[in-house]
Amino acid sequence: MLHYLIKKSKFLMLLSQNALERNKQEPSQDDQNTPANLSQSLKTNLDLIKGVIGNNYDVVIREFSFDRQRQVSASLIYLSGMTDPTIINESILKPLMFESRLSSDSAPKLDDIEMIRTTMLSVGEVSKSANIDEIVDSCLSGSTILLVNNCHEALMIMTADWKSRSVDEPKTESVVRGPREGFTENLLTNTTLLRRKIKNSDLTIESIKIGQRTKTSVNIAYIKGLANPLLIEEIKRRLNDIKTDSILESGYIEQFIEDAPFSIFSTVANTEKPDSAAAKILEGRAAILTDGSPFTLTIPMLLIESFQCSDDYYSRPYFVSFIRMIRYLAYAISILAPATYVALTTFHQELIPTALLFSMAAAQEGVPFPALVEAMGMGVVFEILREAGVRLPRPVGQAVSIVGALVIGQSAVTAGLIGAPMVIVVALTAVASFVVPAQTDSGGILRIFFVVLAGFLGGFGIMIGLIGLLIHLASLRSFGTPYLSPLAPLSVSDLKDSFIRAPLWAMITRPRTIGWHDLKRQEFRLKPSPPLEEDTQSK
Amino acid sequence: MRLERGEISSSQLMFLISCFIQGGLYPSSLAYSISKHDTWLALIAAFIIGVFIVLIYIALANKFPGKNIIEINDLIYGPYFGKLVSLQYIYFFIISLSGYFWFIGDFVLTFIMPETPIIVIMTMFAFICAWAVRKGIEVIARLCVIFVFLPGIIILLTFALLLKNMEFTNFLPVFEVPLEDFIQSTNIIMHISVCEVLAFLMVIPYMNKPKQARRSVLLGIIGGGLILLTGTIRNIAALGPLSEIVTSPSLLAVSLINIGKIISRLEVLVSMAQILLLFIITSVFYYAAVLSVAQITKLQSYLPVVIPIGIIGIFLSLISYDSRMQFSYSTMYITPLLSMHIYIAIPLISLIVAKLRKLPQRNERN
Amino acid sequence: MKGLIKIIVTPLIIIILTLGTTGCWNRRELPVLGIVMGVGIDKAMDSDKLEITAQIIKTSELKSSSPEEGGAGGGSSSSAGAYWNVKNSGESMFSTIRGFTHRTSRKLYFPHNQIIIFGQSLAKQGIQECLDFLLRDQETRLEVLMLVAEDKSSDILSVKSHLEKIPSVGISELMDSQAANSQTIVIRLNQFVTRLMSPTTASIAPIISVQGKADNTELAVSGTAVFKRDKLIGQMNKEETRGLLWVINEIKSGIIDIESPDQEGRVSLEIINAKSKITSEIIDHKPYIKIDVKEEGNIGDQSCTASLVSPDAVAALEEKKNEAIKDEIESALSKAKKLNADVFGFGDILHKKHPKEWQEIKDDWDKIFPNLEVEILVEAKLRRSGNLGSPAAPPEKE
């Protein structure tokens, strides 16, 4: 049996390797069929490009001629929805057609494409290339291509501008105090948002393109000198190893580069907020921004990051520390409460306080299902309600949750199908599971896992499950960083930002587990204190 | 070639040993029936003697840095006789492993779920331990950091909550038991808690700073020992003569806590701590057994022997122990004497032979 | 390959879990439990068998009657109530308890048991076997209350509580409130057994009895049962019990009535704080015991009209109180000596303080104890006089 499994999976691996190799070979074959470079003739060039992208609805090919004396014919190729018509009209066509006519007497030699680039175009980003693939790629990402007769090179003029969502408040991470802006689907906007937070020449944003068909731009942002160079090397290696045809969202990247693909815990963090991305970059992490996705990945991820929130650092430490503890408690409740209830009511009734046992026994009297079935059933019902609430339009979603929670819960109890305590436990679990949004999915799986263990082995089962969970967590690594740090392995100074949040002036060093060599974040003795009396008197 | 690629730091070793020692609280309850209310004295005596024995182990480990006990035996006694000595260690590790498997089964059966077949409990527990062992000593050491504080806090907390119920006159008259009983009790405690540190001869070589081994081991023993002493004092003071007849004084003592009918039934915390600590102890023995078997058979990796050793451990425990009474008897009267040569005589002889043959120096020259 | 290992490990978990599903060994859903709240153990009338009464709560009844209309004498609780007393008899404790399954549809569940009541006749015969079972069985908790019935324990359990739904809960609450008077000892299983295991100290337990007739019955605790080894040998009344409590440092609160020092009338003094210390000495192989009692209290009420707040009056009151406390202790001592039962634990104190000398006298303790010389020193203080200074009384006629 085992042998068969291994054989099977080896076969699958071979299969996928072959497919990859074939993918690698395919583009090179295409290269051989089509000439890679432009020729001298405008017409053949146009035909070439038309052959690649020509018969598309949104491709605009504008043929024109300039320079009254020589009548140089040229054409502009661009995608109508992805470019800014004002730039094309005002900064490309107008100088070429209109101003060249005016100045034609004095400057006759316009056949040199370099001349056009340097003297005629009032656009910021212009580059030239003869490679047809490169030209098509840049056209597809919003550049305008200028082809001139008798030139074997084309100009790629950056005119990209398309409708995108404006910067607004992120839906997934609401904060009480702190900046309201969130990343958008536009990569350039996102890098701008980051730059605006960190105005430092060391902030490096490197770009690569992933996805053989989608050609998605992916940026790696980090601070040179803070991020471990080995980490950056590793990220680049893993990104370059992604040989897939499409990257539509940062989630694709996450699943291709994570350390433990079989784990239910995510080892790559994501955020929608520029301020928390900047904070993580400033701790020595790297951020991966993906075009088309407002979710930025940050690497490496620690488990405690799920319990941190950007609000924590903007508010004063006491209440924040309390809330941190509440988050850990809520997560513990969300994964353990139903299991504990099942274990207590079916195995360890002696641990329930007597008065409570009376009311629980009274409520459970006449309920037809065992507690395990009740807990599993209610858990599934809750997940159904949640999913329905998420997918439906908001007003309908609210109606669903009211119908589900109130009507089903209430009538199930009055009909005697389930005990009222179980409804309370499931409701508490449901509410608690929303407290730590980053771990909602792992929590959902763990909850079922623990309920099953508790149903069969009671408290001992829960203990076994907990130990197993801890073994798994302790063995996880995210890009070389132990997932449970700073707790295990213990790093005492990093504990200042874990279960509690120490005052900002006390957090002198960056996290040791992530940081590399420049650990000092700030000076000592930053603790604010009122001026000494002598000073005020002297003033 | 190293079988274990992980490294542990000196503080992790300290926590590991502290966990290991604290876990002796439940097993050491066997000594209560012999030394009665003087058990705490026996405990102190056991730790003082135990520390000297542990110093022998560390001296041995320090003479051959980076070598585990199986390799050390080969160096000291030569390849053939060394294997013979190593086999005794392996026997000791596996027997201890099976003993602890039986222990967890017995503990769960007596106090948590009396009607469950013991094999289910043992299999579940062995499975978890095997998982941890597969992940390597580094993961076990990391878990210790989380586990070490929990039992300590629970013992200190219950101590504080039980102060109301404690009768410190229960310790009087001091040193009443006959001397031979006292020595026997000391030997039991020494065997159960301190001398099992022998298993760490398989762990110490994988420290990142081997020179700090002595400090971490001693600190771990002292820390764990103090917690153990607190627990023992708590049990005797709270239970009095009852502690001599019950099977688990800790659980019964803590079950007395009842503050305002709200803070009560805390024995669940004690059982949780006990399971966690037994997990650490069992995993370390499991690891030592697996690693030494892999070492002696010259395997490339220790992973293939993990599951076989676990199965052997479970079967051995099912074969060796019929009942709790028999288990208690053998742990009280047979094993401490039988295994004395493994944890005192052989290490001492090894150390002396190594000194006589001036081994480490010659090794360096090579 | 690393992933493959995990793919193999996951089925292993599933295999072990399915192994778990083949039998759910200790599973007991709440509705199948017969939760026992009180146990009464008697000797059967005509034979040597044990007769055990278990008080099981009826969970369905708990649900139906709202908590406001409990058993408070109204007509609503005319039904049997939320409990059921079931009896069974058998040879041994364990077989009798298991034998309940012949009579009840649910398995009896003991961890929430609040009280254990021994019938008088059984207590006289010896209760060692019962105690051994209770300690050995993991379902019994150590803090269960021990009581001795004046007659049969089953009668006690069938008396309805007027304030609580379950009689056993009523009894356990009743015992909790005894600290206000300190005239009854509250003994839990572990304390009882600790005393039982001592070679000299006698076990004690409160006595509970049924008062009133026919429909209007109620329960009352009064006095203390004294055991020698595991057999009941005698009783102490309320005053003697408080004397005992003074010595063993168990006084929480209480009222001491004394005669007014100057006039006709009585003064009630409330005990606020009390401490005792027992010291021992062995001189010429003869043990001596000294009891030091320190007490603090307030004036609770007075029926005389004289003001008692002057320093002289306070000193006189303290003197009277000293005597009252001393009287109580002496009455307890004489009763204990009469029964030859070392309820105070003097033997253990001597053993702990003088282990060597104890070896010589321990075998003769039964002869020594009735003639033991005990010195009693009481130091009582008056601290406060409540809201009043002078009494609320018409002015004195000169």
Side-chain angles (χ1 to χ4, degrees):
Chain A
M1 173 71 188
L2 216 68
H3 233 72
Y4 170 75
L5 269 178
I6 294 171
K7 263 188 181 171
K8 183 89 184 167
S9 47
K10 267 185 185 163
F11 170 71
L12 282 173
M13 272 168 65
L14 263 176
L15 209 69
S16 56
Q17 268 173 9
N18 285 347
L20 265 179
E21 276 162 24
R22 225 175 300 144
N23 273 352
K24 270 182 211 159
Q25 284 163 7
E26 265 168 18
S28 58
Q29 279 168 359
D30 290 347
D31 288 354
Q32 285 162 10
N33 295 344
T34 52
N37 288 334
L38 294 177
S39 62
Q40 290 282 340
S41 150
L42 175 65
K43 202 169 170 340
T44 43
N45 286 346
L46 264 183
D47 287 345
L48 251 177
I49 292 175
K50 267 186 195 167
V52 184
I53 53 168
N55 49 355
N56 265 317
Y57 157 74
D58 53 350
V59 174
V60 177
I61 300 176
R62 166 78 158 88
E63 290 173 67
F64 64 101
S65 63
F66 61 97
D67 196 344
R68 196 192 295 160
Q69 295 167 349
R70 289 187 294 164
Q71 288 297 331
V72 182
S73 59
S75 28
L76 282 181
I77 305 166
Y78 60 92
L79 297 178
S80 61
M82 292 180 71
T83 48
D84 185 358
T86 338
I87 303 180
I88 297 175
N89 296 344
E90 294 291 320
S91 310
I92 305 173
L93 283 175
K94 200 174 167 190
L96 283 175
M97 295 170 72
F98 193 59
E99 285 164 20
S100 68
R101 202 173 298 148
L102 285 179
S103 58
S104 57
D105 304 326
S106 52
K109 298 172 191 166
L110 275 173
D111 55 329
D112 188 6
I113 200 146
E114 184 62 27
M115 270 310 271
I116 299 179
R117 196 173 84 90
T118 48
T119 61
M120 302 291 295
L121 296 176
S122 53
V123 183
E125 190 184 333
V126 181
S127 55
K128 62 177 179 181
S129 169
N131 185 303
I132 194 130
D133 283 340
E134 205 177 312
I135 291 165
V136 169
D137 278 357
S138 80
C139 179
L140 287 175
S141 41
S143 292
T144 300
I145 311 296
L146 174 64
L147 292 170
V148 181
N149 200 13
N150 290 331
C151 274
H152 65 280
E153 280 180 318
L155 283 187
M156 300 177 293
I157 308 153
M158 195 57 200
T159 53
D161 183 36
W162 52 80
K163 292 281 177 296
S164 69
R165 198 163 58 93
S166 62
V167 174
D168 60 3
E169 198 175 344
K171 293 280 187 295
T172 55
E173 290 164 83
S174 309
V175 290
V176 180
R177 178 171 180 178
R180 308 267 175 226
E181 60 190 11
F183 285 125
T184 67
E185 283 77 6
N186 189 338
L187 184 59
L188 206 61
T189 318
N190 293 353
T191 48
T192 318
L193 285 171
L194 265 188
R195 276 259 186 241
R196 272 195 2 222
K197 299 269 178 221
I198 311 170
K199 299 179 191 68
N200 189 316
S201 58
D202 283 337
L203 175 65
T204 316
I205 300 178
E206 291 181 37
S207 179
I208 54 173
K209 282 205 184 337
I210 311 177
Q212 279 140 354
R213 293 201 194 279
T214 57
K215 303 263 166 32
T216 313
S217 307
V218 174
N219 287 0
I220 311 166
Y222 60 92
I223 292 183
K224 214 182 281 172
L226 287 191
N228 191 340
L230 291 173
L231 171 73
I232 305 298
E233 272 310 300
E234 179 65 20
I235 291 173
K236 281 186 201 158
R237 189 185 64 73
R238 290 194 198 180
L239 285 179
N240 285 325
D241 280 353
I242 304 177
K243 298 276 186 274
T244 180
D245 66 337
S246 59
I247 297 288
L248 294 180
E249 218 273 345
S250 54
Y252 279 47
I253 296 179
E254 176 180 346
Q255 290 168 56
F256 279 117
I257 62 171
E258 64 187 346
D259 287 65
F262 288 100
S263 171
I264 56 168
F265 287 93
S266 159
T267 47
V268 176
N270 64 61
T271 178
E272 216 182 336
K273 285 174 64 62
D275 55 328
S276 59
K280 285 180 181 180
I281 289 173
L282 284 168
E283 281 185 347
R285 290 187 177 86
I288 298 178
L289 300 99
T290 314
D291 194 18
S293 164
F295 289 94
T296 296
L297 307 178
T298 54
I299 290 168
M301 182 202 186
L302 310 181
L303 183 66
I304 56 163
E305 274 177 58
S306 318
F307 300 92
Q308 295 167 345
C309 166
S310 62
D311 272 31
D312 295 359
Y313 303 92
Y314 307 145
S315 315
R316 301 186 64 244
Y318 303 104
F319 188 65
V320 165
S321 301
F322 173 63
I323 287 296
R324 280 258 170 104
M325 309 268 194
I326 294 289
R327 285 192 203 127
Y328 287 98
L329 179 71
Y331 187 60
I333 287 176
S334 80
I335 62 175
L336 289 177
T340 313
Y341 180 79
V342 168
L344 281 181
T345 53
T346 50
F347 288 92
H348 315 295
Q349 292 92 350
E350 72 271 16
L351 295 176
I352 309 172
T354 310
L356 183 61
L357 180 75
F358 281 1
S359 51
M360 274 164 70
Q364 212 69 18
E365 193 69 36
V367 171
F369 305 114
L372 173 64
V373 177
E374 261 186 299
M376 299 283 278
M378 284 303 285
V380 170
V381 168
F382 161 65
E383 292 295 337
I384 291 172
L385 283 175
R386 194 173 72 93
E387 190 63 15
V390 171
R391 298 297 159 216
L392 282 170
R394 192 156 290 176
V396 191
Q398 277 170 359
V400 165
S401 35
I402 289 167
V403 169
L406 293 181
V407 181
I408 298 182
Q410 183 62 40
S411 46
V413 171
T414 40
L417 286 178
I418 41 173
M422 180 55 88
V423 176
I424 298 172
V425 168
V426 171
L428 177 70
T429 312
V431 174
S433 70
F434 293 126
V435 173
V436 186
Q439 295 294 348
T440 311
D441 21 355
S442 73
I445 295 170
L446 285 175
R447 195 178 314 145
I448 296 170
F449 173 68
F450 276 113
V451 165
V452 171
L453 276 177
F456 293 126
L457 285 168
F460 179 69
I462 295 181
M463 281 310 289
I464 289 288
L466 272 180
I467 295 176
L469 177 66
L470 282 171
I471 294 174
H472 175 65
L473 285 174
S475 64
L476 276 187
R477 277 170 180 276
S478 167
F479 286 80
T481 311
Y483 198 54
L484 269 190
S485 60
L487 189 59
L490 193 64
S491 165
V492 178
S493 64
D494 289 5
L495 285 178
K496 283 179 189 167
D497 186 15
S498 56
F499 298 104
I500 55 155
R501 204 274 284 165
L504 287 181
W505 45 261
M507 291 197 275
I508 292 156
T509 55
R510 295 195 177 79
R512 272 161 213 281
T513 39
I514 301 155
W516 177 49
H517 66 264
D518 186 14
L519 279 176
K520 199 170 167 197
R521 201 198 307 248
Q522 62 201 16
E523 291 300 322
F524 293 89
R525 296 195 213 93
L526 276 179
K527 181 178 152 199
S529 54
L532 295 173
E533 264 178 46
E534 296 149 26
D535 297 348
T536 45
Q537 273 166 7
S538 64
K539 277 168 196 167
Chain B
M1 178 207 73
R2 279 174 72 145
L3 282 167
E4 169 66 56
R5 255 180 256 140
E7 270 188 350
I8 59 171
S9 69
S10 50
S11 66
Q12 279 174 335
L13 182 73
M14 185 179 85
F15 290 137
L16 204 51
I17 289 193
S18 177
C19 267
F20 207 78
I21 300 284
Q22 283 182 41
L25 188 56
Y26 177 57
S28 68
S29 62
L30 293 169
Y32 287 79
S33 61
I34 299 175
S35 54
K36 308 209 186 297
H37 59 261
D38 286 326
T39 308
W40 63 286
L41 280 173
L43 188 85
I44 294 173
F47 270 84
I48 291 171
I49 302 168
V51 160
F52 286 105
I53 297 172
V54 168
L55 283 177
I56 299 176
Y57 306 160
I58 299 171
L60 200 59
N62 279 349
K63 264 194 181 306
F64 304 90
K67 296 259 186 293
N68 60 38
I69 187 69
I70 307 294
E71 293 169 299
I72 294 175
N73 283 339
D74 277 357
L75 287 176
I76 294 179
Y77 300 108
Y80 300 105
F81 191 62
K83 291 273 186 303
L84 214 64
V85 177
S86 298
L87 276 177
Q88 298 207 34
Y89 281 110
I90 292 173
Y91 170 78
F92 172 70
F93 293 150
I94 292 181
I95 282 290
S96 303
L97 175 70
S98 73
Y100 276 104
F101 278 157
W102 204 85
F103 224 99
I104 187 78
D106 182 63
F107 179 78
V108 172
L109 251 60
T110 315
F111 299 105
I112 307 178
M113 309 197 291
E115 287 148 39
T116 316
I118 195 166
I119 178 115
V120 175
I121 305 292
M122 288 194 327
T123 317
M124 288 293 284
F125 194 71
F127 173 72
I128 283 292
C129 293
W131 191 4
V133 169
R134 284 189 82 100
K135 297 284 179 191
I137 191 70
E138 209 174 336
V139 166
I140 299 176
R142 275 187 210 162
L143 290 175
C144 266
V145 180
I146 306 170
F147 291 168
V148 72
F149 296 108
L150 204 63
I153 290 169
I154 288 171
I155 284 179
L156 292 178
L157 184 80
T158 51
F159 190 89
L161 291 176
L162 268 175
L163 274 176
K164 203 180 61 160
N165 302 39
M166 285 185 187
E167 288 274 352
F168 284 97
T169 51
N170 282 338
F171 295 110
L172 294 172
V174 177
F175 210 81
E176 196 195 23
V177 291
L179 192 63
E180 56 264 45
D181 280 358
F182 186 79
I183 291 173
Q184 196 199 352
S185 171
T186 306
N187 188 23
I188 291 172
I189 297 175
M190 202 165 78
H191 164 67
I192 284 171
S193 53
V194 193
C195 289
E196 292 190 341
V197 171
L198 184 60
F200 281 86
L201 281 179
M202 297 302 292
V203 177
I204 290 173
Y206 307 113
M207 279 182 71
N208 55 6
K209 289 171 196 154
K211 281 182 185 169
Q212 289 176 3
R214 183 207 299 261
R215 197 173 138 266
S216 338
V217 171
L218 290 185
L219 277 179
I221 289 179
I222 290 167
L226 284 179
I227 296 283
L228 204 58
L229 188 64
T230 317
T232 312
I233 287 176
R234 175 196 72 192
N235 295 347
I236 297 173
L239 285 177
L242 263 183
S243 65
E244 295 153 24
I245 55 165
V246 296
T247 38
S248 175
S250 300
L251 278 178
L252 259 100
V254 172
S255 74
L256 290 179
I257 296 175
N258 190 349
I259 293 175
K261 291 196 175 172
I262 299 165
I263 306 175
S264 64
R265 299 162 207 275
L266 292 182
E267 62 268 27
V268 64
L269 290 179
V270 175
S271 334
M272 276 166 63
Q274 198 58 65
I275 292 173
L276 290 183
L277 292 175
L278 280 178
F279 161 74
I280 293 290
I281 299 181
T282 317
S283 298
V284 171
F285 272 115
Y286 202 157
Y287 179 81
V290 163
L291 202 66
S292 49
V293 167
Q295 183 78 52
I296 209 164
T297 50
K298 295 211 161 60
L299 288 177
Q300 292 291 317
S301 153
Y302 67 82
L303 293 184
V305 286
V306 173
I307 288 171
I309 297 260
I311 292 169
I312 290 172
I314 289 175
F315 275 97
L316 212 58
S317 69
L318 287 177
I319 294 164
S320 336
Y321 309 111
D322 290 333
S323 64
R324 194 219 174 81
M325 288 72 89
Q326 188 231 339
F327 179 78
S328 307
Y329 183 82
S330 73
T331 324
M332 277 157 69
Y333 299 105
I334 301 170
T335 357
L337 296 175
L338 272 188
S339 51
M340 218 159 181
H341 78 280
I342 294 178
Y343 66 74
I344 299 179
I346 298 182
L348 195 61
I349 293 170
S350 299
L351 192 66
I352 292 167
V353 172
K355 276 236 163 90
L356 290 179
R357 292 181 61 184
K358 292 176 184 168
L359 268 176
Q361 284 92 336
R362 190 192 294 172
N363 209 32
E364 271 165 31
R365 251 175 262 147
N366 294 351
Chain C
M1 276 314 277
K2 230 183 170 185
L4 277 177
I5 292 165
K6 282 177 188 164
I7 294 175
I8 296 162
V9 167
T10 338
L12 245 166
I13 300 175
I14 295 162
I15 289 166
I16 285 169
L17 283 183
T18 44
L19 202 131
T21 53
T22 49
C24 307
W25 300 277
N26 268 76
R27 285 191 57 181
R28 303 162 293 206
E29 298 286 333
L30 280 181
V32 305
L33 294 180
I35 301 165
V36 178
M37 294 305 294
V39 174
I41 309 171
D42 285 309
K43 204 175 110 184
M45 291 285 242
D46 39 2
S47 64
D48 241 7
K49 284 183 175 178
L50 286 172
E51 189 180 75
I52 299 179
T53 315
Q55 188 160 74
I56 308 172
I57 55 165
K58 290 187 191 167
T59 41
S60 47
E61 298 282 331
L62 276 176
K63 197 182 186 179
S64 60
S65 61
S66 65
E68 287 82 26
E69 44 183 55
S76 61
S77 61
S78 57
S79 64
Y83 64 94
W84 176 40
N85 285 347
V86 57
K87 275 187 193 177
N88 190 29
S89 54
E91 295 290 338
S92 78
M93 186 84 184
F94 202 12
S95 64
T96 317
I97 295 251
R98 269 295 153 84
F100 273 114
T101 42
H102 298 305
R103 291 161 193 267
T104 62
S105 57
R106 298 180 176 190
K107 188 171 178 270
L108 296 198
Y109 188 65
F110 285 92
H112 288 274
N113 187 10
Q114 307 273 315
I115 51 169
I116 294 171
I117 308 176
F118 289 101
Q120 178 91 294
S121 50
L122 178 74
K124 281 184 175 152
Q125 193 189 313
I127 54 173
Q128 191 271 330
E129 188 223 338
C130 308
L131 290 174
D132 184 84
F133 167 77
L134 291 171
L135 276 180
R136 200 177 288 275
D137 187 54
Q138 55 256 59
E139 283 202 356
T140 320
R141 293 184 64 81
L142 282 182
E143 66 259 51
V144 56
L145 290 163
M146 301 274 296
L147 296 134
V148 173
E150 199 168 42
D151 186 22
K152 287 202 69 175
S153 63
S154 52
D155 300 341
I156 306 284
L157 284 175
S158 56
V159 176
K160 257 182 209 163
S161 168
H162 292 287
L163 294 174
E164 313 291 334
K165 276 187 198 168
I166 318 282
S168 304
V169 176
I171 296 171
S172 112
E173 306 270 299
L174 180 70
M175 295 311 293
D176 278 352
S177 63
Q178 291 308 310
N181 255 324
S182 299
Q183 285 185 327
T184 322
I185 183 118
V186 179
I187 285 281
R188 296 181 187 278
L189 180 59
N190 65 316
Q191 295 165 325
F192 193 91
V193 177
T194 309
R195 280 173 166 263
L196 183 74
M197 284 181 66
S198 156
T200 55
T201 310
S203 299
I204 41 178
I207 295 175
I208 190 163
S209 58
V210 185
Q211 316 249 304
K213 277 175 216 151
D215 286 344
N216 197 21
T217 51
E218 58 193 34
L219 292 173
V221 275
S222 57
T224 303
V226 179
F227 289 76
K228 182 100 183 179
R229 306 239 166 245
D230 65 325
K231 293 182 179 62
L232 179 68
I233 51 161
Q235 295 187 8
M236 293 172 111
N237 64 19
K238 280 184 178 177
E239 287 70 36
E240 289 157 357
T241 305
R242 188 148 82 185
L244 164 65
L245 293 178
W246 283 115
V247 179
I248 58 175
N249 202 5
E250 286 286 337
I251 296 278
K252 298 284 188 302
S253 180
I255 307 298
I256 303 171
D257 279 343
I258 53 171
E259 279 177 19
S260 173
D262 302 329
Q263 279 176 299
E264 289 292 303
R266 302 188 67 81
V267 182
S268 295
L269 302 171
E270 188 188 1
I271 306 164
I272 299 296
N273 196 355
K275 269 206 178 81
S276 76
K277 201 178 159 201
I278 307 172
T279 44
S280 63
E281 252 178 302
I282 293 186
I283 303 168
D284 287 342
H285 307 289
K286 200 165 176 256
Y288 296 89
I289 298 284
K290 197 170 118 191
I291 304 165
D292 267 301
V293 178
K294 286 203 170 72
E295 188 264 1
E296 288 175 27
N298 299 345
I299 301 178
D301 69 27
Q302 65 180 86
S303 61
C304 56
T305 50
S307 172
L308 295 173
V309 291
S310 67
D312 291 344
V314 168
L317 277 177
E318 287 178 345
E319 189 53 39
K320 286 247 172 194
K321 190 158 77 166
N322 272 351
E323 275 168 31
I325 294 172
K326 207 167 174 178
D327 281 351
E328 284 180 352
I329 296 177
E330 267 167 1
S331 68
L333 251 178
S334 61
K335 187 59 167 280
K337 283 180 175 172
K338 210 176 106 197
L339 294 170
N340 195 6
D342 180 8
V343 286
F344 308 100
F346 291 150
D348 278 343
I349 289 162
L350 287 167
H351 175 201
K352 281 168 181 169
K353 294 275 163 63
H354 314 281
K356 278 183 197 146
E357 293 89 337
W358 174 251
Q359 298 303 325
E360 300 164 12
I361 57 173
K362 72 172 177 188
D363 297 328
D364 299 331
W365 183 245
D366 277 353
K367 285 173 206 155
I368 293 170
F369 180 70
N371 307 312
L372 189 68
E373 274 186 45
V374 180
E375 193 188 348
I376 305 164
L377 290 175
V378 184
E379 195 183 324
K381 293 272 183 220
L382 266 184
R383 296 295 185 200
R384 257 154 235 99
S385 60
N387 277 351
L388 297 180
S390 299
E396 273 180 74
K397 287 170 202 162
E398 291 292 327

